């Protein structure tokens, strides 16, 4: 289980970010229009937290010579996730 | 590499063994794995048989659904054509879409997995052979009954995604919609059974040494595929259950008059429906990533990137479901997020496409039939991907939504991403199961006809769509400029039909399965599946040191075939395979596998009958068959975990391994854990539905009972504790352990049911009436779901008691206890969720 969570860590962070954005967007729709700024800032915070998570994973793996598959997947996965997180955050922040 | 299980990998050096093999060893193996004779083909459970049946049935449904497509295209060839009446047309597109998606695409790739995985992984069979046989029979019987509804005018007609309110009781009063709801719910059960089999198979029955970075790419694809089924299909199961409950009993989940919301259906359906597209695509892509390197005789470029891409597809595809709902008026922030994710999901698919192109460029391509289908599929898929990115852009989708542009897009994706790769796979792997390969010459004809037919059918549809022709219309008026493209589409469809017909002829002439000798490795493939094999799969289970073992490990075929590797015999005398660890594939224990018997077939027949009778509203008969189904499954389980005589056996070269495992090391525990993930997803999504319904009509919500929440939670906690204690008491191995631990387990069941009863009583006291409002309907659904688990728990209590009476409860064999305890603990947790959520949210 630990091995798998590590290998998939980048993708799991992406999933957490997506769920957060979905929840925030739903809450934004449910509450009054005045609160919109509140929810966009929440989205911003969630995004920064998740980016930090990706950074942590990357820092732990590094890009040393010929890492094993799980490390490699963790590193590449969080790199990809970071890009996807920024991309999706744009939609939430400037929507 | 450090060891995962404490197994000394230095022992691998003992292989290949030297010296002659003992006489009679091979005969014993052949004896245990002998094929079915006479009527036994029905009760066969060897994947060599079930895999072929399974794929055959999927292709049958492909042909049937294709015939429906030809009927539709005939009707649409000319404006104001009178071949089909409107009602029939509605049934045809619904049946065509539904059958292609649920009865062809998913089962076909699942079948490919069942057929190929054991050989690819170097296992003798999948870990639960009866489960895959059950999945097959349930699917075949259910699918045929579903198709049969067409002949009685009872076929569903609400489109393959069956949106309410159109499919609610008001607008679809007949039982047509019920056929869809119960049929699809049932087929999904079969898909889940197959998925469990595949996950445990890929993770636990790999050849020793096949570490996770030597896992064949097809096995990766099947693993992710199965994982996605486990996460996605609970959503459609829940959706069909809710809609059926609304139709049958008037519980208002989707009826806005009583607080329901039709959009809930769309969310639930597409949370399954979009991943479904990738569920179909991934295994086909895995096949492509296997076939292209073999055909180009070079390694796959970017294996790791492709693995990551497939994993990323698996994840992201769960974050895009609402792109099917861009036109329903969702909040803007959601629309933006879903649009962004929808564009992002095309990136991993692009990575795979580039890996294939790079592999083709790096090697020397041979344009034989599998090669042609692979490259052709690639081209078609890229076109579909491009139109997919177009409709991911919201303003464009507002124009294209529900027009023939969408029909063109979805067929390009599905045919390029799944049908062509499947044909490539059929041509590539037939020599593995058939005494003769398929005809290369006919194969080329079939390819070119299909390729041309496909473009001729669907390329013009982009245009008809942009010119405004809506989908799902049974006819159209002349002089809108739609005549020519429609006529071309029809001509193309017939070309495609001819290609499929030719393929049928090719199969009839050359496909000869179930023979002792197969055609062998005519394409020089590198995977373990091309080792010499027989009904027992490989003669001995090799130590794998490469991702392309047959290319890199010289002499492997010879040594395997002469029994110089693991498990060259069957030490316990029956069917067996090796179970290895999930990351590094270190040998853990010898799995004794069942012999053929009829119980799973009867179970499939009775479950199918149960669902069918429910559909035609013969409730008493349905109850009878439901009970029979439960009885047969009970009997099937009864054959498991019997006392064993040889606790440790020689698995080759003098290496000893246990022939028994319990708890997280065992395969049965994994199967239960995965089943519980499915259940957990259902209850989570039911929780989502509850919150969603509240959010759409909060003013209708009534206060919950302010009663015994603490007592309920306490009882559930006691139940979980007793279940845990039961296992500890058993493994403690005192003189009275079996009796005391069984007692503890039975008490746990009692506590569970007491808690559930208290929960229900509280709500009844507060005036729970499921027909009154969406709140009460949702609460009742949650309680009923939990009730299902409590009933199952009671059955398990009975089962354990019977095992005690038969003296099967042994301290050295706690596997059954571990599994039951896991189930009870889960049920307690789920019960707590069901009790807490509706009482504390929304907090009135
Ligand atoms: C050459 C083969 C095929 C032809 C000629 C064909 C033709 C059609 C036609 C005419 C429709 C109905 C369009 C409408 O009235 O809206 C349709 C719908 C559909 N087809 Fe196909 N099809 C083919 C293959 C496939 C395959 C292989 C799949 C899936 C694996 C598939 C999945 C679907 C789906 C999901 C729908 C939508 C049904 C609905 O609107 O509810 N088709 N197809
Ligand atoms: Cu989609």
């Amino acid at each position: 289980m630990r091995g798998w969570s590590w290998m998939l860590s980048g993708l799991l962070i992406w999933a957490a970010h997506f769920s957060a954005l979905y929840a925030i967007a739903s809450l934004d729709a449910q509450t009054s229009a005045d609160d919109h700024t509140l929810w966009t800032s929440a989205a911003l915070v969630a995004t920064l937290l998740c980016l930090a998570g990706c950074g942590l994973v990357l820092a732990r793996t590094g890009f040393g010579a010929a890492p094993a598959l799980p490390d490699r997947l963790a590193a590449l996965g969080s790199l990809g996730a970071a890009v996807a997180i920024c991309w999706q955050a744009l939609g939430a922040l400037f929507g | 590499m450090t060891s995962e299980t404490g197994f000394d990998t230095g022992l691998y050096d003992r292989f290949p063994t030297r010296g002659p093999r003992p006489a009679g060893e091979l005969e014993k193996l052949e004896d245990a794995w002998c094929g079915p004779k006479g009527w036994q083909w029905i009760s066969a459970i060897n994947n060599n048989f079930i895999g072929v049946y399974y794929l055959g049935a999927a292709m049958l449904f492909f042909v049937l659904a294709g015939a429906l497509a030809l009927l539709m295209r005939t009707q649409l060839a000319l404006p104001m054509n009178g071949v089909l009446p409107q009602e029939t047309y509605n049934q045809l597109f619904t049946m065509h879409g539904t059958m292609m998606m649920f009865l062809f695409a998913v089962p076909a790739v699942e079948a490919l997995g069942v057929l190929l995985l054991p050989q690819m992984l170097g296992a003798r069979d999948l870990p639960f052979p009866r489960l895959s046989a059950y999945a097959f029979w349930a699917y075949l019987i259910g699918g045929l009954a579903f198709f049969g509804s067409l002949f009685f005018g009872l076929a569903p007609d609400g489109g393959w995604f069956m949106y309410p309110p159109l499919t609610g009781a008001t607008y679809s009063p007949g039982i047509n919609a019920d056929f869809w709801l119960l049929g699809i719910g049932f087929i999904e059960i079969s898909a889940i059974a197959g998925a469990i089999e595949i996950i445990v198979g890929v993770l636990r029955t790999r050849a020793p040494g096949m570490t996770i970075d030597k896992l064949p790419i097809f096995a990766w694809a099947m693993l992710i595929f199965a994982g996605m089924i486990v996460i996605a299909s609970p959503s459609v199961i829940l959706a069909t259950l809710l809609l059926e409950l609304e139709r049958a009993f008037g519980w208002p989940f989707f009826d806005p008059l009583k607080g329901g919301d039709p959009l809930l259906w769309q969310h639930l359906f597409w949370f399954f429906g979009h991943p479904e597209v990738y569920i179909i695509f991934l295994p086909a892509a895995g096949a492509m990533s296997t076939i292209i390197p073999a055909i180009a005789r070079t390694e796959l470029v970017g294996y790791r990137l492709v693995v990551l891409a497939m994993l990323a597809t698996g994840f992201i595809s769960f974050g895009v479901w609402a792109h099917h709902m861009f036109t329903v008026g969702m909040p803007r922030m959601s629309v933006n997020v879903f649009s962004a994710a929808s564009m992002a999901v095309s990136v991993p698919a692009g990575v795979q496409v580039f890996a294939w192109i790079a592999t083709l460029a790096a090697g020397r391509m041979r344009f034989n039939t599998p090669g042609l289908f692979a490259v052709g599929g690639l081209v078609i898929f890229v076109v579909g991907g491009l139109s997919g990115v177009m409709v991911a852009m919201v303003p464009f989708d507002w124009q294209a939504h529900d027009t023939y542009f969408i029909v063109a897009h979805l067929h390009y994706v599905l045919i390029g991403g799944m049908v062509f790769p499947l044909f490539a796979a059929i041509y590539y792997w037939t020599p593995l199961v058939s005494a003769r390969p398929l005809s290369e010459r006919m194969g080329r004809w079939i390819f070119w006809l299909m390729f041309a037919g496909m473009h001729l059918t669907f390329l013009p549809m982009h245009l008809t769509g942009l010119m405004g022709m809506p989908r799902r219309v049974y006819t159209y008026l002349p002089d809108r400029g739609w005549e020519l493209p429609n006529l071309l589409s029809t001509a193309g469809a017939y070309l495609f039909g001819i290609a499929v017909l030719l393929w049928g002829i090719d199969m009839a002439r050359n496909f000869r399965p179930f023979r002792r000798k197969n055609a062998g490795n005519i394409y020089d493939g590198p995977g373990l599946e091309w080792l010499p094999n027989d009904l027992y799969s490989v003669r001995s289970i090799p130590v794998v040191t490469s991702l392309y073992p047959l290319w890199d490990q010289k002499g492997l075929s010879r040594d395997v075939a002469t029994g110089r590797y693991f498990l060259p015999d069957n030490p316990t005398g029956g069917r067996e395979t090796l179970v290895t660890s999930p990351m590094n594939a270190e040998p853990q224990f010898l799995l004794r596998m069942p012999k053929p018997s009829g119980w799973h077939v009867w179970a499939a027949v009775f479950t199918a009958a149960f669902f069918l009778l429910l559909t035609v509203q013969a409730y008493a008969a349905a109850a009878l068959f439901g009970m029979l189904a439960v009885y047969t499954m009970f009997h099937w389980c009864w054959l498991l975990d019997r006392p064993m005589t040889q606790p440790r056996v020689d698995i080759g070269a003098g290496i000893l391994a246990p022939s028994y495992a319990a708890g997280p090391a065992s395969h049965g525990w994994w199967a239960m854990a995965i089943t519980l993930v499915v259940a957990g997803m259902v209850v989570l999504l039911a929780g989502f539905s509850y919150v969603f319904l509240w959010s759409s009509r909060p003013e209708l919500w009534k206060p919950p009972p302010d009663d015994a929440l603490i007592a309920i939670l306490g009882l559930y906690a006691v139940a979980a504790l007793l279940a845990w204690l039961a296992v500890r008491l058993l493994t403690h191995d005192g003189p009275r352990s079996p009796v005391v631990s069984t007692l503890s387990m039975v008490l746990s069941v009692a506590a569970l049911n007491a808690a559930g009863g208290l929960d229900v009583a509280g709500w009844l006291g507060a005036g729970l009436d499921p027909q009154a409002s969406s709140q009460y309907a949702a609460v009742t659904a949650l309680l009923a779901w939990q009730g299902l688990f409590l009933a199952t728990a009671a059955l398990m209590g009975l089962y354990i008691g019977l095992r005690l009476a038969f003296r099967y409860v042994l301290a050295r064999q706690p596997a059954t206890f571990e599994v039951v305890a896991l189930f009870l603990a889960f049920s307690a947790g789920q019960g707590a969720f069901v009790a807490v959520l509706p009482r504390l949210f929304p907090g009135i």
Side-chain angles (χ1 to χ4, degrees):
Chain A
M1 221 44 215
R2 290 242 324 274
W4 283 93
S5 328
W6 169 241
M7 191 157 82
L8 300 179
S9 49
L11 296 168
L12 287 170
I13 296 174
W14 176 87
H17 180 251
F18 173 83
S19 316
L21 285 196
Y22 180 64
I24 289 170
S26 306
L27 288 168
D28 181 32
Q30 208 66 38
T31 48
S32 88
D34 311 337
D35 294 343
H36 183 65
T37 342
L38 178 73
W39 295 117
T40 10
S41 1
L44 185 65
V45 172
T47 304
L48 292 177
L49 278 177
C50 290
L51 285 177
C54 291
L56 274 181
V57 175
L58 272 174
R60 261 195 66 182
T61 50
F63 277 93
L69 182 77
D71 287 335
R72 172 59 67 84
L73 285 183
L76 284 175
S78 41
L79 203 63
V83 177
I85 286 170
C86 291
W87 169 243
Q88 277 167 237
L90 290 180
L93 297 179
F94 301 105
Chain B
M1 187 175 294
T2 52
S3 169
E4 186 180 5
T5 59
F7 179 85
D8 173 15
T9 47
L11 291 173
Y12 290 156
D13 296 338
R14 295 190 186 176
F15 301 100
T17 54
R18 269 177 255 280
R21 300 297 317 163
E25 180 181 84
L26 185 59
E27 285 71 25
K28 252 180 71 197
L29 202 58
E30 281 171 352
D31 221 38
W33 289 89
C34 73
K37 298 179 195 68
W39 282 96
Q40 287 172 353
W41 63 270
I42 297 181
S43 60
I45 52 174
N46 192 333
N47 81 295
N48 291 306
F49 288 87
I50 296 299
V52 172
Y53 299 174
Y54 213 148
L55 198 54
M59 294 315 286
L60 172 71
F61 287 118
F62 172 65
V63 171
L64 292 177
L68 302 184
L70 283 185
L71 277 175
M72 286 191 288
R73 280 315 321 169
T74 311
Q75 161 68 13
L76 293 176
L78 301 169
M80 301 301 286
N81 210 353
V83 181
L84 296 173
Q86 183 170 5
E87 292 77 43
T88 313
Y89 188 88
N90 292 351
Q91 297 189 359
L92 289 191
F93 71 69
T94 305
M95 288 299 276
H96 164 77
T98 307
M99 286 175 66
M100 282 291 189
M101 298 302 271
F102 292 94
L103 296 181
F104 160 62
V106 175
V109 290
E110 196 151 313
L112 212 55
V114 168
L115 182 61
L116 295 175
L117 280 176
Q119 269 84 344
M120 270 187 178
L121 302 172
R124 294 221 189 282
D125 204 337
L126 286 169
F128 309 99
R130 280 185 298 199
L131 189 65
S132 33
Y134 170 80
F136 162 72
W137 287 108
Y139 148 69
L140 180 68
I141 301 168
L144 286 176
F146 185 68
F147 182 71
S149 67
L150 259 178
F151 299 106
F152 302 94
L154 291 177
D157 53 6
W160 86 280
F161 34 78
M162 293 289 287
Y163 282 175
L166 175 62
T167 51
T170 318
Y171 300 104
S172 298
I175 64 171
N176 306 45
D178 303 309
F179 259 102
W180 196 96
L181 294 170
L182 291 166
I184 294 310
F186 179 56
I187 301 279
E188 285 310 302
I189 294 179
S190 151
I192 289 174
I196 293 174
E197 176 84 300
I198 287 168
I199 294 179
V200 182
V202 171
L203 290 178
R204 304 301 305 280
T205 62
R206 304 204 298 272
M210 191 188 272
T211 51
I212 200 87
D213 54 351
K214 298 189 190 67
L215 185 61
I217 200 86
F218 180 75
W220 263 115
M222 290 308 297
L223 177 64
I224 300 167
F225 156 90
M228 289 176 70
I229 287 196
V230 165
I231 305 292
S233 47
S235 188
V236 77
I237 289 181
L238 177 69
T240 52
L241 271 177
L242 296 186
L243 186 49
E244 190 53 39
L245 286 172
E246 172 171 310
R247 290 176 54 88
F249 306 124
W251 299 6
F253 298 104
F254 307 106
D255 173 7
L257 287 180
K258 292 177 176 172
D261 189 341
L263 282 189
L264 175 61
W265 171 271
Q266 298 195 14
H267 279 291
L268 290 178
F269 184 86
W270 289 115
F271 184 76
F272 151 82
H274 188 88
E276 162 95 342
V277 179
Y278 290 94
I279 285 174
I280 292 168
F281 169 65
L282 273 183
M288 294 275 276
S289 296
T290 311
I291 295 171
I292 288 179
I295 298 294
R297 293 184 200 270
T298 181
E299 300 189 355
L300 178 68
V301 173
Y303 167 82
R304 293 174 167 201
L305 272 179
V306 172
V307 170
L308 180 68
M310 293 198 296
L311 284 166
T313 307
F315 272 79
I316 303 182
S317 62
F318 282 98
V320 300
W321 76 88
H323 66 206
H324 297 268
M325 303 162 62
F326 282 156
T327 52
V328 305
M330 285 187 302
R332 200 161 82 217
M333 204 197 267
S334 314
V335 169
N336 288 345
V337 172
F338 280 106
S339 173
S342 301
M343 290 180 221
V345 79
S346 58
V347 174
V351 168
Q352 294 179 71
V353 168
F354 281 115
W356 298 332
I357 295 175
T359 309
L360 287 174
R364 269 203 281 116
M365 184 61 191
R366 293 178 284 171
F367 280 101
N368 44 25
T369 307
L372 282 173
F373 271 110
V375 175
L378 192 78
V379 171
I380 299 172
F381 182 71
V382 167
V383 177
L386 290 178
S387 56
V389 176
M390 290 167 79
V391 291
M393 296 189 216
V394 181
F396 183 89
D397 187 58
W398 286 338
Q399 302 304 316
H401 185 76
D402 263 346
T403 70
Y404 260 85
F405 190 89
I406 300 296
V407 179
H409 157 69
L410 74 92
H411 285 90
Y412 264 89
V413 184
L414 288 168
I415 295 180
M418 190 272 164
V419 178
F420 273 60
L422 181 68
F423 272 89
I426 289 176
Y427 274 84
Y428 178 74
W429 275 300
T430 290
L432 181 68
V433 287
S434 158
R436 283 209 293 269
L438 296 180
S439 157
E440 186 60 29
R441 216 168 63 99
M442 275 185 84
R444 284 163 202 265
W445 272 99
I446 295 165
F447 167 76
W448 284 111
L449 276 173
M450 241 187 220
F451 191 72
M454 143 81 209
H455 285 295
L456 190 57
T457 314
F458 296 107
L459 205 57
M461 281 188 193
H462 291 105
L463 213 62
T464 16
L466 290 180
M467 289 192 292
M469 176 156 165
R471 68 192 280 198
R472 296 177 174 175
V473 289
Y474 81 112
T475 194
Y476 50 95
L477 289 172
D479 33 86
R480 297 202 172 178
W482 300 352
E483 287 106 318
L484 183 64
N486 269 300
L487 194 60
L488 290 179
S489 288
T490 303
Y494 274 93
L495 273 190
F496 201 106
I498 293 171
V500 175
L501 191 70
L502 284 181
W503 171 76
I505 295 174
D506 195 5
M507 290 294 281
R509 283 179 38 187
N510 291 316
F511 190 67
R512 297 286 174 273
F514 315 137
R515 303 281 169 89
R516 289 300 300 274
K517 272 239 107 14
N518 56 38
N521 194 1
I522 62 172
Y523 296 110
D524 189 24
L528 288 187
E529 76 268 26
W530 298 112
L531 288 170
N533 66 66
D534 205 316
L535 287 181
Y536 45 72
S537 179
V538 280
R539 167 78 171 82
S540 59
I541 299 179
V543 175
V544 174
T545 58
S546 159
L547 186 53
Y548 303 95
L550 262 63
W551 284 349
D552 296 343
Q553 293 179 250
K554 298 285 169 244
L556 188 67
S557 296
R558 190 197 57 227
D559 288 334
V560 164
T562 44
R564 302 191 177 286
Y565 278 103
F566 276 103
L567 213 61
D569 51 359
N570 47 345
T572 68
R575 297 185 174 188
E576 310 154 334
T577 196
L578 268 189
V579 173
T580 50
S581 61
M583 274 284 181
N584 295 346
E586 295 160 12
Q588 284 184 298
F589 67 95
L590 182 84
L591 172 61
R592 294 168 300 143
M593 292 205 283
K595 281 206 166 340
S597 71
W599 291 105
H600 63 279
V601 184
W602 287 116
V605 170
F606 292 140
T607 6
F610 168 71
F611 276 93
L612 199 63
L613 288 165
L614 268 192
T615 312
V616 299
Q617 300 173 352
Y619 294 122
L624 178 69
F625 278 92
M627 259 145 30
L628 281 172
V630 170
Y631 172 73
T632 41
M633 287 186 194
F634 198 90
H635 200 109
W636 166 5
C637 294
W638 188 246
L639 303 172
L640 299 169
D641 198 13
R642 287 294 182 77
M644 44 109 192
T645 47
Q646 289 165 276
R648 288 182 86 72
V649 289
D650 179 353
I651 55 171
I655 299 171
L656 289 182
S659 69
Y660 188 88
S666 73
H667 64 303
W669 194 89
W670 279 52
M672 177 53 89
I674 299 167
T675 312
L676 293 178
V677 172
V678 173
M681 279 305 295
V682 172
V683 79
L684 265 186
L685 288 160
F688 165 83
S689 308
Y690 172 87
V691 174
F692 186 87
L693 287 172
W694 167 79
S695 75
S696 79
R697 295 293 290 284
E699 72 280 5
L700 291 182
W701 241 237
K702 295 224 175 68
D706 51 347
D707 60 345
L709 183 58
I710 302 297
I712 296 169
L713 294 182
L715 275 171
Y716 276 133
V718 168
L721 200 70
L722 283 170
W724 175 81
L725 199 65
V727 176
R728 300 309 302 261
L729 285 171
L730 181 66
T731 48
H732 171 67
D733 201 5
R736 273 187 302 280
S737 273
V739 181
V740 181
S741 57
T742 305
L743 192 68
S744 173
M745 204 64 108
V746 172
L747 283 177
S748 163
V749 171
L752 271 183
N753 276 285
L758 214 56
D759 196 357
V760 173
W763 278 100
L764 286 179
L768 183 73
D769 169 12
Q771 295 180 343
S773 72
S774 57
Q775 177 196 14
Y776 282 167
V779 171
T780 319
L782 281 167
L783 290 173
W785 178 256
Q786 175 68 2
L788 208 62
F789 279 71
L790 299 184
T792 312
L795 273 177
M796 287 184 170
L798 179 68
Y799 179 78
I800 294 276
L802 278 175
R803 281 178 66 89
L804 181 70
F806 279 78
R807 298 186 187 288
Y808 290 169
V809 180
L810 302 168
R812 247 162 285 117
Q813 290 187 230
T816 299
F817 261 61
E818 295 260 16
V819 168
V820 171
L822 185 63
F823 181 87
L824 297 185
F826 172 85
S827 304
Q830 176 176 279
F833 177 78
V834 167
V836 166
L837 177 72
R839 281 190 178 75
L840 298 191
F841 185 90
I844 310 170

